[in-house]
Amino acid sequence: MKKLVILAVSFLITMVSFGQTDLSLEESIQIALQRNSALVKSKNLLVGNEASVKSAYGNLAPSLGVQSNWGWRRIEDVGGTQIDYIGNPYEAPATNEETRDYSVGAGGSVILFNGLANYANISSAKRDQEAAELNIDKFKRDIVQNTTILYYSILKSKALLKVREENFKYNQKLLETISERNRLGSAPVADLYAQQVQAGGAEVDMIRAQNAVDVTQNTLIDYLSLDVLNEYNFVSRIDTVDASNVDQYKSEFDNVRSMVDYAIQYRTDYQGQQKTVESADNGITIAQGDFWPSLRGGYGYSTSSVSVESLFDRRVWSVNLELDLPIFSNFNTKTSVEYAKISLLNAEEDLRALKRQIKIEIKQGYQDFEAESKALEVAIKTVTSASENRRVQYERYSLGSGTFLEVLQSDRDYQNSLSLRIDAEFNFHSSRQALLNSLGKLEYKEYETNNDEGE
């Protein structure tokens, strides 16, 4: 009956797989670099930084505006006795007067000097834009790492599922063997009951492993901003690490101090924070600009008339200079300067904190990598030993010199060693990815290039 169930499940899985979309690790990274929500929002903010740079340059250019005016006025006077300008009364006739006036003008102003604040504003805006671009660069590298590790989690869960499936088949076959031997009287009923429990546990482990695969797949699908209701088949494989090539991976890394020096030089988030410090330093110059006199030039042209035909008969040209000399600003300027200095101090402290963080990441990351390398070496040896022990215990039981309990225990040890081997290998790869990212060595441009070519 259980064979029929397994065949039915396999058939359903095969049928469902026809509707799946294959998704490799490279394709997953490309999608993440396009659709990850946090990255999309960061790119949107970068547009604002670019606009700020343009606005800062615009403050150097003269402003220009055009205005026009049209007016209508009607005066009605019933007449009567009025007083002239020297105080004599006179009789004024009734009047009905209607007038219109037209005017056109253009003008603007330009900042000639404001304590160099306008130039400092340009420099600050450019540093902010550069910092944002560098931070996005680091964010993309983080996305490569996160996507890779999430993909590894799927491959890891699938590998564990395969182990559970093989264990289920093994225990089913062993159950059939014990049942036949019990029927023939060569195996006690206690062994049969024990193996029935063992086989049932193996089936539960297989079901849980399948659920773990679904969970890890959904996590990656959500990270890629894809529809979790669609079916995806994650097809990439991971390079197998054995005792012969562990040292090859270790050769990628130098001593901790050299790796820290490399990261300080090439980590783009550190470079971005340096740009933030430069921007904050420009902020002090901007604030100090209010201590200096400001000189503004103005210019204009206008014409006015009571009729359109004579609108340009009378023209007025004007040029003016406006000097503003600050004497006392209620300590507002000094307060602004102090806040700008505080911003600089905080930015410098953030830079020092990031440097400490980089050191910790690399030191701890290298220690983790070394530990996972050792754990992998031990796990490889443990699988070999556990496999041989299981074979020996089964042969001893078959010959009647061993107990079934020893067979069960050897099988559990073997299954645990396989699980530890898989965990160790994927933890090894994940720690390597994290350390490469801490060094600033994870690249993303190759995935963007491939994606552009595909389009």
Side-chain angles (χ1 to χ4, degrees):
M1 181 65 182
K2 288 189 176 181
K3 287 185 177 180
L4 293 176
V5 172
I6 295 173
L7 289 174
V9 172
S10 301
F11 177 75
L12 289 174
I13 292 174
T14 303
M15 292 300 293
V16 171
S17 65
F18 284 115
Q20 293 179 337
T21 300
D22 288 345
L23 203 59
S24 67
L25 174 58
E26 292 75 15
E27 291 170 334
S28 298
I29 295 175
Q30 290 173 9
I31 293 172
L33 291 173
Q34 277 189 314
R35 304 187 59 170
N36 181 266
S37 296
L39 179 60
V40 170
K41 289 189 286 187
S42 297
K43 289 181 177 179
N44 292 339
L45 292 176
L46 184 60
V47 176
N49 292 107
E50 294 171 352
S52 297
V53 174
K54 186 180 295 185
S55 175
Y57 274 109
N59 289 333
L60 292 181
S63 63
L64 179 63
V66 177
Q67 62 278 344
S68 61
N69 181 65
W70 172 83
W72 174 84
R73 183 172 61 177
R74 182 185 182 90
I75 300 176
E76 295 180 350
D77 191 344
V78 298
T81 302
Q82 297 186 11
I83 304 299
D84 61 18
Y85 64 94
I86 59 176
N88 298 321
Y90 72 97
E91 291 297 324
T95 59
N96 189 339
E97 182 180 0
E98 183 176 304
T99 61
R100 290 177 174 80
D101 59 87
Y102 306 85
S103 65
V104 176
S109 63
V110 59
I111 298 174
L112 301 176
F113 181 77
N114 64 347
L116 303 179
N118 47 359
Y119 293 97
N121 188 41
I122 292 175
S123 180
S124 177
K126 290 176 67 176
R127 299 294 88 76
D128 287 339
Q129 181 190 7
E130 292 167 354
E133 291 173 345
L134 289 167
N135 288 330
I136 287 179
D137 183 276
K138 178 59 170 66
F139 194 18
K140 289 180 178 179
R141 298 173 193 269
D142 291 341
I143 285 177
V144 173
Q145 175 192 342
N146 294 336
T147 305
T148 302
I149 291 178
L150 289 174
Y151 204 102
Y152 283 174
S153 297
I154 295 174
L155 301 182
K156 172 184 173 181
S157 61
K158 284 187 173 183
L160 289 172
L161 174 60
K162 185 177 180 180
V163 169
R164 298 294 180 250
E165 289 172 343
E166 292 296 327
N167 184 49
F168 176 68
K169 294 176 183 178
Y170 171 83
N171 279 279
Q172 282 297 110
K173 184 177 180 180
L174 184 58
L175 178 59
E176 293 173 1
T177 302
I178 298 299
S179 298
E180 182 63 19
R181 294 184 63 182
N182 175 258
R183 187 181 66 81
L184 297 175
S186 61
V189 69
D191 290 356
L192 177 61
Y193 291 156
Q195 182 55 30
Q196 287 175 342
V197 173
Q198 184 78 355
E203 185 176 10
V204 172
D205 289 341
M206 182 177 65
I207 294 172
R208 288 175 175 170
Q210 178 61 61
N211 182 63
V213 171
D214 296 336
V215 171
T216 54
Q217 289 185 160
N218 291 337
T219 301
L220 178 58
I221 291 170
D222 179 64
Y223 187 76
L224 300 181
S225 299
L226 298 175
D227 189 349
V228 74
L229 297 181
N230 293 337
E231 295 292 334
Y232 296 94
N233 183 32
F234 299 92
V235 296
S236 291
R237 299 179 62 86
I238 191 170
D239 294 334
T240 301
V241 182
D242 53 36
S244 64
N245 61 2
V246 170
D247 292 337
Q248 176 183 346
Y249 285 98
K250 287 184 177 181
S251 65
E252 295 178 305
F253 307 109
D254 204 343
N255 63 76
V256 173
R257 187 172 297 277
S258 297
M259 289 191 292
V260 168
D261 293 339
Y262 181 92
I264 294 299
Q265 183 176 358
Y266 293 104
R267 279 264 298 247
T268 52
D269 56 335
Y270 189 80
Q271 297 170 2
Q273 187 58 37
Q274 289 176 319
K275 297 296 182 181
T276 300
V277 171
E278 295 174 11
S279 175
D281 188 40
N282 288 320
I284 297 177
T285 304
I286 295 172
Q288 290 175 337
D290 290 337
F291 282 130
W292 292 82
S294 63
L295 181 63
R296 179 185 297 270
Y299 42 87
Y301 165 80
S302 63
T303 179
S304 60
S305 174
V306 296
S307 64
V308 177
E309 293 80 6
S310 59
L311 182 59
F312 292 95
D313 290 349
R314 182 175 180 270
R315 297 181 294 275
V316 178
W317 303 85
S318 64
V319 177
N320 68 286
L321 290 175
E322 177 184 339
L323 178 65
D324 184 8
L325 182 64
I327 297 176
F328 180 66
S329 61
N330 304 99
F331 303 110
N332 291 328
T333 301
K334 183 174 178 57
T335 301
S336 298
V337 172
E338 290 301 319
Y339 273 112
K341 290 180 178 179
I342 292 172
S343 296
L344 175 60
L345 293 174
N346 289 341
E348 291 173 339
E349 179 58 30
D350 288 340
L351 182 64
R352 288 189 290 269
L354 180 56
K355 187 174 184 178
R356 294 193 298 269
Q357 178 186 336
I358 290 174
K359 291 180 179 180
I360 292 173
E361 285 182 8
I362 293 176
K363 181 180 180 180
Q364 188 62 52
Y366 186 69
Q367 291 174 344
D368 291 342
F369 178 74
E370 285 284 312
E372 297 300 340
S373 300
K374 188 63 178 178
L376 179 57
E377 293 174 357
V378 173
I380 292 172
K381 297 176 182 178
T382 302
V383 169
T384 303
S385 174
S387 176
E388 179 64 17
N389 182 58
R390 185 176 73 157
R391 184 189 65 81
V392 170
Q393 294 301 332
Y394 181 76
E395 289 181 355
R396 290 181 68 245
Y397 175 73
S398 299
L399 296 173
S401 61
T403 66
F404 188 65
L405 181 61
E406 291 173 330
V407 174
L408 293 180
Q409 185 59 50
S410 66
D411 182 59
R412 293 192 190 99
D413 292 342
Y414 177 66
Q415 295 303 319
N416 289 335
S417 68
L418 288 177
S419 298
L420 292 175
R421 169 72 171 81
I422 293 171
D423 283 337
E425 184 163 357
F426 283 92
N427 290 341
F428 174 85
H429 283 292
S430 296
S431 63
R432 173 176 171 269
Q433 286 287 314
L435 184 53
L436 287 173
N437 192 29
S438 296
L439 291 171
K441 289 186 175 182
L442 277 187
E443 291 297 334
Y444 63 87
K445 294 181 180 179
E446 58 183 294
Y447 302 105
E448 290 185 328
T449 301
N450 290 339
N451 186 61
D452 293 339
E453 292 175 355
E455 293 178 354

